[in-house]
């Protein structure tokens, strides 16, 4: 049961800038915690990050044959990318959209998500703990 965990632009800087918004954990810390949770749930993870929209689209295409579910923090592409929405629409399994911060408590341009219409659920504002919650939900959805 493989899950793709996709992280979009600038998330490679997690833990290195703006800790008041995104916390102190690095993306490597998040990956380590996700790997522990996944092991307990019997999931296999591919944990990926790119600053490039097309790379994220390519990984979503790859997930069509290689993954049962997708957890995606598309970063700022959440608010701009019809291409990522189209790619997710071509994926058959469950998709959870995740944001570390509560995007609804931030600037107006972060309130709209192009991806939310495709997502089975959206997690926002739970910090990096949201990744664990999303994995638990994906596990439930693909085990049902
Ligand atoms: O809250 C989230 O997870 C976001 O997806 C993060 C994106 C932002 O554009 C979304 O509106 C909400 C930004 C990721 C930038 O990550 C950084 C982390 C540390 C330092 C600088 C940027």
């Amino acid at each position: 049961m493989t899950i793709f965990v996709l992280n979009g632009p600038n998330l490679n800087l997690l833990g290195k800038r703006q800790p008041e918004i995104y916390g102190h954990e690095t993306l490597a810390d998040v990956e380590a915690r996700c790997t522990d949770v996944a092991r307990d749930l019997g999931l296999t993870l591919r944990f990926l990050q790119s600053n490039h929209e097309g790379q994220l689209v390519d990984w979503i295409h790859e997930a069509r044959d290689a993954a049962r579910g997708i957890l995606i923090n598309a970063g700022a592409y959440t608010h701009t990318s019809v291409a990522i929405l189209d790619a997710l629409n071509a994926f058959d399994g469950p998709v959870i959209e995740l944001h570390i911060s509560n995007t609804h408590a931030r600037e107006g341009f972060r309130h709209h998500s192009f991806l939310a219409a495709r997502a089975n659920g959206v997690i926002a504002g739970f910090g990096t703990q949201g990744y664990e919650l999303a994995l638990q939900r994906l596990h439930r959805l693909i085990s049902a």
Side-chain angles (χ1 to χ4, degrees):
M1 292 206 286
T2 298
I3 302 292
F4 276 27
V5 182
L6 302 180
N7 293 283
N10 298 306
L11 285 158
N12 52 311
L13 298 178
L14 204 62
K16 297 170 185 168
R17 298 283 307 275
Q18 298 183 272
E20 68 286 0
I21 301 177
Y22 299 113
H24 290 279
E25 275 191 299
T26 65
L27 200 60
D29 295 332
V30 176
E31 178 175 7
R33 221 143 37 79
C34 283
T35 302
D36 285 347
V37 171
R39 191 182 308 112
D40 291 347
L41 293 170
L43 300 173
T44 301
L45 294 190
R46 272 195 70 197
F47 195 98
L48 301 161
Q49 188 275 331
S50 177
N51 293 323
H52 304 281
E53 186 176 21
Q55 176 65 81
L56 293 164
V57 168
D58 285 344
W59 282 332
I60 295 165
H61 292 175
E62 204 179 315
R64 283 162 45 80
D65 291 324
R68 296 281 300 277
I70 294 176
L71 163 51
I72 183 164
N73 183 350
Y77 288 141
T78 305
H79 318 298
T80 63
S81 181
V82 177
I84 292 177
L85 170 64
D86 287 345
L88 290 172
N89 276 331
F91 177 76
D92 286 333
V95 173
I96 303 290
E97 173 183 337
L98 176 135
H99 302 289
I100 297 166
S101 63
N102 178 2
T103 46
H104 296 285
R106 300 183 64 191
E107 304 96 321
F109 63 83
R110 296 186 203 275
H111 297 181
H112 177 260
S113 164
F114 279 99
L115 314 185
R118 163 61 183 93
N120 294 69
V122 179
I123 291 179
F126 287 79
T128 53
Q129 186 189 358
Y131 284 81
E132 295 168 42
L133 302 173
L135 287 177
Q136 286 169 357
R137 183 63 185 156
L138 282 169
H139 178 258
R140 177 77 62 90
L141 290 170
I142 64 181
S143 304

